[in-house]
Amino acid sequence: MSAVVRLVAGVLALYGAALPAIAAPSAEVMMQLSRVVLKVSALGDDDQFSVGSAVVIGPDTALTNCHVTRHAHTIVLSRGLARHAVVGERADTSRDLCLLRTAEALPYPAAELRPAGTLVPGERVIAHGYSGGIEPQFARGVVLDLHGAGGSHIIQTTAGFKRGASGGGLFDEAGRLVGLTTFLTSAQRTEYFAVPADWADRLRERPEQPPKPLTGEAFWAQREDHQPHFMRLLEPLAQADWPRVMQLADNWMQEEPHVAAAALMCARAAHALQQTELSARCITRAINIAGKDEIELRRIAGWALEAGREDARVAAAAALARLGAAIPAR
């Protein structure tokens, strides 16, 4: 069994799911995706040039990552020999999302959007973009985790992508857009992340301007102490550095006391460090904070099942049962 398969199997066991066979998407879905994902060419001053991908989400609009176009005063969308000039841009550089508008209607269908919070870890997804900025490519994988952020969830996936695929789409098996393939990290192994496509809803409220160089940094590109807490934990978790995980979890709980994932991370670290009472307090806190959040409750129940913490599993399962949600099996 490969390292990637072991990783996926471990995550699915954590959530009480079975390891799916990652089948190829149907020809119909592949054709659908090939028509909604376009190549982005962005030209700035001093011959700065970058390429990436974008996903059509409206009659004359496409969604991409701002780091693809941030230096550009000229942006062109293309598919094959067809070229479409971008005349307007709505930008949220912090979330790394830019909405591009073309001068004329695009001759492509718009992707249907699906909220990232409706995904389930273990669910199969497809990444599609212009990897390396040259040819469109497909990559199959599953959802590994969902990290709460900005009213939605950043998606961690095994559907790999390369530089140049930024702004490409992450789709469910029905071809619905759930995220944009945005960044990857190397914490012992390569981790792939997509920002949620439903962040575009707030983006539409921003003023539109002609393409021009943008200011500000994406959340994932900032220095470590300004990145989201889940990103700061990737390296120590990969190394099983539990004292460091505990330190970071404590900081997270202080900075964001109403985040269930922070309390769960405290419980995990305390359990690994054999601090039983602290682990119990943190898991109780995590369940109380989670409330009706099915994603967080499922994460808690899954970890408790894997760790052999029957008390925590029962408590989280009871909370899930009250929501009418499926419960990880024993």
Side-chain angles (χ1 to χ4, degrees):
M1 183 180 288
S2 71
V4 172
V5 172
R6 286 197 300 272
L7 173 62
V8 175
V11 170
L12 299 182
L14 189 64
Y15 286 88
L19 180 65
I22 303 177
S26 69
E28 180 181 356
V29 169
M30 290 181 69
M31 178 63 70
Q32 173 187 341
L33 301 189
S34 70
R35 297 191 65 210
V36 301
V37 177
L38 307 179
K39 181 177 178 179
V40 178
S41 300
L43 178 65
D45 295 327
D46 300 322
D47 294 327
Q48 292 185 76
F49 182 73
S50 64
V51 292
S53 307
V55 184
V56 180
I57 63 168
D60 59 355
T61 55
L63 196 61
T64 190
N65 291 135
C66 290
H67 74 263
V68 174
T69 64
R70 61 172 297 149
H71 65 278
H73 52 65
T74 300
I75 305 171
V76 176
L77 304 178
S78 61
R79 180 175 185 263
L81 298 177
R83 301 287 185 271
H84 311 281
V86 172
V87 296
E89 184 174 30
R90 302 176 193 269
D92 186 338
T93 52
S94 176
R95 292 185 173 183
D96 206 1
L97 273 185
C98 277
L99 189 64
L100 309 177
R101 182 175 64 85
T102 53
E104 299 177 351
L106 294 165
Y108 315 110
E112 179 184 351
L113 271 61
R114 174 184 170 187
T118 64
L119 291 168
V120 177
E123 185 171 345
R124 289 182 288 225
V125 288
I126 308 160
H128 181 41
Y130 285 77
S131 291
I134 303 174
E135 296 292 335
Q137 296 181 2
F138 293 91
R140 303 185 297 276
V142 300
V143 174
L144 275 181
D145 208 347
L146 298 164
H147 304 280
S152 186
H153 294 79
I154 295 167
I155 306 162
Q156 187 173 352
T157 179
T158 62
F161 50 89
K162 301 176 183 177
R163 294 183 184 276
S166 293
L170 187 70
F171 301 89
D172 67 9
E173 287 191 295
R176 293 172 295 186
L177 180 68
V178 294
L180 292 191
T181 53
T182 301
F183 67 100
L184 51 89
T185 65
S186 295
Q188 299 292 312
R189 57 178 177 264
T190 303
E191 311 270 9
Y192 302 95
F193 297 89
V195 296
D198 49 302
W199 272 354
D201 292 341
R202 297 292 295 274
L203 191 58
R204 299 179 196 274
E205 301 171 4
R206 291 182 172 247
E208 180 182 281
Q209 297 187 6
K212 67 176 185 178
L214 304 172
T215 58
E217 281 190 308
F219 68 90
W220 57 267
Q222 297 180 12
R223 70 173 193 256
E224 183 177 340
D225 59 346
H226 283 68
Q227 291 177 352
H229 288 276
F230 79 86
M231 291 184 64
R232 305 180 208 178
L233 282 155
L234 292 173
E235 188 71 32
L237 281 172
Q239 296 178 349
D241 184 351
W242 294 110
R244 178 62 176 160
V245 171
M246 176 59 77
Q247 180 185 17
L248 291 171
D250 185 59
N251 292 340
W252 192 358
M253 287 192 297
Q254 291 184 47
E255 293 181 19
E256 299 181 356
H258 302 299
V259 173
L264 175 59
M265 195 59 65
C266 167
R268 290 179 60 185
H271 178 80
L273 295 170
Q274 299 183 343
Q275 298 175 11
T276 306
E277 292 185 6
L278 176 58
S279 183
R281 289 199 302 272
C282 288
I283 204 71
T284 299
R285 175 173 174 170
I287 293 171
N288 290 338
I289 294 172
K292 296 182 179 181
D293 189 328
E294 184 177 335
I295 289 175
E296 294 301 334
L297 288 172
R298 192 178 298 280
R299 178 185 284 118
I300 294 166
W303 172 78
L305 176 66
E306 183 188 62
R309 295 289 300 274
E310 184 63 10
D311 55 338
R313 190 201 68 81
V314 168
L320 282 167
R322 287 192 292 272
L323 300 179
I327 303 170
R330 294 176 187 271

